[in-house]
Amino acid sequence: MQKAQINGSALIKMLLPKLESSMYKGQNGKILVIGGSKEYTGAPYYAGVSSLKAGGDIAHIICPEEASIPIKSYSPELIVHPCLNDIQETLKWMDACTSVVIGPGLGREEKLGQTLNEIIDKVQDNKQLKLVGDADFLWFISQSSHKFVIQEQIKQLGKQVILTPNIVEFQRFMHHEYNIKEYQKLELEFFESNRNTCGILDNDEVINKEVAQLSRAFNNCIILKKGVVDIITDGVTSYYVATEGSLKRCGGQGDILSGVLGAFVNYSENLPSDQFEQSQKSLLSVVAASHATRLISYAGYLDKTISLTAPDIINNMSQVTPVLANHVFLSDLLDSGVLFILTKKSNFKSQPSIHLFNNVQWDTAGQERYRTITNAYYRGADGIILVFDLYKRDSFNNLHSWLKEVEKHAKNDVHIIIIGNKADKEEPAEVTEADMQKFTADTGIQIYTASAKSGKNGLIKCQRKLIWVEQCWKSKKNERKQACEAKGEQRSHY
Ligand SMILES: NC(=O)C1=CN([C@@H]2O[C@H](COP(=O)(O)OP(=O)(O)OC[C@H]3O[C@@H](n4cnc5c(N)ncnc54)[C@H](OP(=O)(O)O)[C@@H]3O)[C@@H](O)[C@H]2O)[C@@H](O)CC1
Ligand SMILES: Nc1ncnc2c1ncn2[C@@H]1O[C@H](COP(=O)(O)OP(=O)(O)OP(=O)(O)O)[C@@H](O)[C@H]1O
């Protein structure tokens, strides 16, 4: 059954801070990552750097001595304190931060239990501080000899805590038999019916029931259960995020998510109170972090496929996050008659809510010198986007000649999308609704309106990448064929 949906990308836009010249360093979040060990130095680095790329101003890492040099050498952006064994020093740095991510690469040495007790106590003293618990921190809560003490502490904190178990970590919380394979099958079924949507989930929905129960058992702390579908719940209200993510399951993606969360939990108050209940804001910042991380991973996956590694995803964040925040619009190139040809394989069939096309090529209408180049692109394209300017009638009239080119050169099963740009403008457009309807009746191709400037209807352009959020607009060859046949026309191409 289809679920009540929310617009994940719009949520991110509302959540991310609007940058102003009056701001000072630290206002957009000072994130403290507590983790790292002799074996694992990548995990805290991924979390720290991701928190910065997701908007945070400053990232501190507290780690043991033996992890500090490697972490420092990965990035000068991270402020690394090798003081995990010095609890007073650790607590001091907690005072200097706005959120704490604890667990990535921490290891499971029993002696750390005492340190964790004191860290959680400190969070209790500062009600503004949010605690994101991942990886080995979850192990300490569910498996260590300190677990009962830590569980009681977590209950004291309630919604100040966000726990992010993957399926194995979640299983460790379950006292009864919990069949991972069976659960994943249910998640996959859910994903297939709700692909690329985010929405509200019933507390007794089969994939959520035990997650919501666990949250309630911990006094309604927020749980983000990662998986094929991410489930976010405080035991009262639950959401799912079925945004398409990476198919390459390389290590470190959970660390990236914990870093994004470390930043995003600082922004929950940016959500407007006239639209969101106060009690929902923290939960929704977690939904936004899940959606953003999956979008970013998907973007990385389209680029690198089987070679994807965690740093590829992190590097993509500098492209995708500002776009989601509406901070970057290079709309000039989307003027009249511009033709986009997608040369990278894109997943039109699965109705993704975001397409990120690399190597988008463009040409301006009628400029002959580009024709031979673009003819080669036609052949390689899986999808073609024709963009016209709603305020320039000529650009609309040109569509027919562009379509002829497409039909002549492109693959038979190419997907064609037509977008009327500049839909952000208030004044009446030169191309009217009736014009567009007539065009659709003639060709079988639906026209969508959008604005690359304001991001209206999800068409956003960033450098040489076109990001198309939220909607899948498509017109298949057979739909065009039916429209022509209905009018008694026969064509070799549709
Ligand atoms: N570069 C670095 O520094 C990185 C460091 N990291 C750090 O490593 C530490 C340990 O964390 P962890 O997640 O590897 O340990 P744990 O919870 O014991 O799970 C391990 C085993 O569980 C299974 N398994 C997992 N998922 C499953 C699934 N969906 N479905 C089914 N099975 C699944 C699978 O077992 P297998 O099937 O291979 O036997 C897997 O091998 C922690 O500190 C973390 O932060 C990582 O962040 C990565 C990058
Ligand atoms: N099957 C999947 N398809 C798409 N995205 C997924 C899938 N499983 C997990 N994710 C996403 O990947 C991210 C990390 O989840 P994952 O389960 O890999 O965490 P993890 O095992 O803790 O990672 P790490 O390797 O850092 O320890 C989350 O954003 C989650 O939504």
Side-chain angles (χ1 to χ4, degrees), residues 39-43 46 103-108 135-136 166-169 172 180 184 251-252 255:
E39 288 83 11
Y40 305 124
T41 54
Y46 295 148
L106 186 67
R108 296 170 187 178
D136 296 325
N166 64 22
I167 198 155
V168 173
E169 289 155 346
R172 292 188 187 127
I180 288 190
Q184 278 178 331
D255 306 321

Side-chain angles (χ1 to χ4, degrees), residues 49 67 82 111 176 197 218 230 285 308 331 351 354 401 470 472:
V49 167
K111 66 173 188 197
H176 60 84
T197 62
F218 283 129
D230 284 357
S285 70
L308 185 78
S331 59
Q351 303 205 346
I354 174 168
S401 72
E470 285 315 317
C472 180

Side-chain angles (χ1 to χ4, degrees), residues 47-74:
V49 167
S50 301
S51 75
L52 293 175
K53 300 221 177 207
D57 285 340
I58 292 180
H60 293 266
I61 310 276
I62 287 184
C63 61
E65 185 84 48
E66 61 268 29
S68 76
I69 302 288
I71 300 173
K72 280 177 205 253
S73 69
Y74 301 149

Side-chain angles (χ1 to χ4, degrees), residues 392-464:
K392 285 186 188 152
R393 179 133 208 122
D394 282 355
S395 72
F396 178 70
N397 294 340
N398 272 341
L399 285 176
H400 285 290
S401 72
W402 281 117
L403 273 177
K404 273 194 196 127
E405 291 285 300
V406 170
E407 284 173 1
K408 197 160 128 198
H409 301 291
K411 292 191 294 203
N412 271 353
D413 60 350
V414 73
H415 294 269
I416 300 175
I417 297 154
I418 300 185
I419 298 173
N421 190 27
K422 304 201 178 165
D424 58 300
K425 288 190 172 183
E426 302 267 307
E427 63 266 34
E430 275 186 33
V431 181
T432 64
E433 201 55 49
D435 293 330
M436 292 188 270
Q437 277 168 14
K438 181 170 182 317
F439 182 94
T440 300
D442 285 348
T443 61
I445 304 175
Q446 183 77 36
I447 298 181
Y448 300 92
T449 57
S451 165
K453 190 172 172 196
S454 71
K456 185 174 174 181
N457 290 347
L459 179 69
I460 304 173
K461 216 174 72 55
C462 171
Q463 296 176 17
R464 289 179 73 86

Side-chain angles (χ1 to χ4, degrees), residues 139-196:
W139 187 87
F140 272 96
I141 308 178
S142 64
Q143 305 295 305
S144 74
S145 61
H146 301 264
K147 67 180 176 187
F148 296 117
V149 179
I150 299 181
Q151 284 174 13
E152 285 311 308
Q153 287 183 298
I154 298 282
K155 286 181 199 167
Q156 299 292 315
L157 292 173
K159 282 190 192 176
Q160 254 182 292
V161 175
I162 298 118
L163 301 179
T164 60
N166 64 22
I167 198 155
V168 173
E169 289 155 346
F170 185 73
Q171 186 193 38
R172 292 188 187 127
F173 282 106
M174 296 291 105
H175 300 298
H176 60 84
E177 195 62 31
Y178 183 80
N179 188 326
I180 288 190
K181 284 221 154 41
E182 193 56 38
Y183 187 93
Q184 278 178 331
K185 201 168 142 237
L186 294 169
E187 273 194 331
L188 273 169
E189 279 165 19
F190 184 95
F191 181 72
E192 284 310 328
S193 345
N194 295 280
R195 187 188 277 267
N196 271 310

